[in-house]
Amino acid sequence: MSWQAADLLKQQIPLLDYLQGQGWQPARRAASGRLLGLCLLHPDQRPSLLVDPSKNLFYCYGCGRGGDVIRLAELYHGVRFAEAMALLRHWGGVGSLLPDVAQFYQLHLQRHVEAAAYLMQRGLQAEVIEELRIGYAPGRCLRAWLMSLGYPLADLQQAGLVNAEGYDTYSHRIVFPLEGNLYGRSIGAAVPHRFLPGSKGGLYAWQKVRHYPEIILVEGLFDLAVLWQAGFHNVTCALGTHLNALQFRQLCADNECDDKPRTVYLAFDSDANGSGQTAAQSLSQRLRAAGINARRVELPAGHDPNSFFVSGGSAQEFHCLLEKACL
């Protein structure tokens, strides 16, 4: 896939911009909008470097070398292809590691029928898949892609994307991009949930819901996806039943909703062992002690929001559950 990465980079960094960033100035114009100036690749006494901005190509009549912006970086800095890619990305401020990973997984989602089938089984449609930037990690291919973009292997291992043996750590997983992390849900026999090392961060997509006076809080991202799909855009996710300190502070920030009292609906799983509702009750007490209206949504036995909608529940029926929510 290195040619795809190279083509994308050449679109993002025009050759002329990079040349001028190295101090190059055209001496005169040639035909068809082309430019002629001193060559950066050898001692040049008179302008011999021809640049075609429309084609993003150069050729030097003095040293006989030419090519695109990546080839120029290779020759100018005396580095190999991957290093030239990394230098260009750094120079142009193009991309960063986790967004690049998320984009790669998004590209793979529609290429794997097992991933598309799993999302269909969970009730997700194309609009919400695109909105949440959901992707799929097939495994055994992320490392090569990222290294073709110029990322060193050590950086990938430090981030937790590649293990000590050099294999992708996310494999056969549906992937949701988070702020500063990735959540991977296994569709095979592996451990169901995986995050990169470090904090899971704040509440999911908090910037989009922070101004709502009423917020629905759910445990999982598939719960959030079906609710968003059903029209409940005031939903956020704690990625579990236990809020970290940042997530709790976010819910309690009254000024986020124009000083109106906030109401938080806790739509946790209705587990057979009662763990979801026990956690919801404990959290509602903490929120009320902090001055937040908190109400527990009682789903049918054995259901979470995702299974409620997948099994035929409607938005109107979920509205009724919100209206009946208890303290």
Side-chain angles (χ1 to χ4, degrees), residues 297-316:
V297 179
E298 295 188 350
L299 290 157
H303 281 286
D304 55 32
N306 181 258
S307 64
F308 174 81
F309 282 97
V310 169
S311 63
S314 67
Q316 183 178 359

Side-chain angles (χ1 to χ4, degrees), residues 249-271:
R249 287 199 305 271
Q250 287 173 327
L251 284 181
C252 296
D254 288 337
N255 62 342
E256 303 289 2
C257 48
D258 300 325
D259 295 326
K260 296 177 182 178
R262 171 174 287 151
T263 298
V264 177
Y265 292 91
L266 306 177
F268 285 6
D269 301 358
S270 182
D271 307 289

Side-chain angles (χ1 to χ4, degrees), residues 9-19 53 56 69 91:
L9 187 62
K10 286 183 282 188
Q11 293 172 24
Q12 294 168 326
I13 301 179
L15 170 64
L16 182 58
D17 288 358
Y18 187 67
L19 274 168
N56 263 339
V69 67
W91 179 86

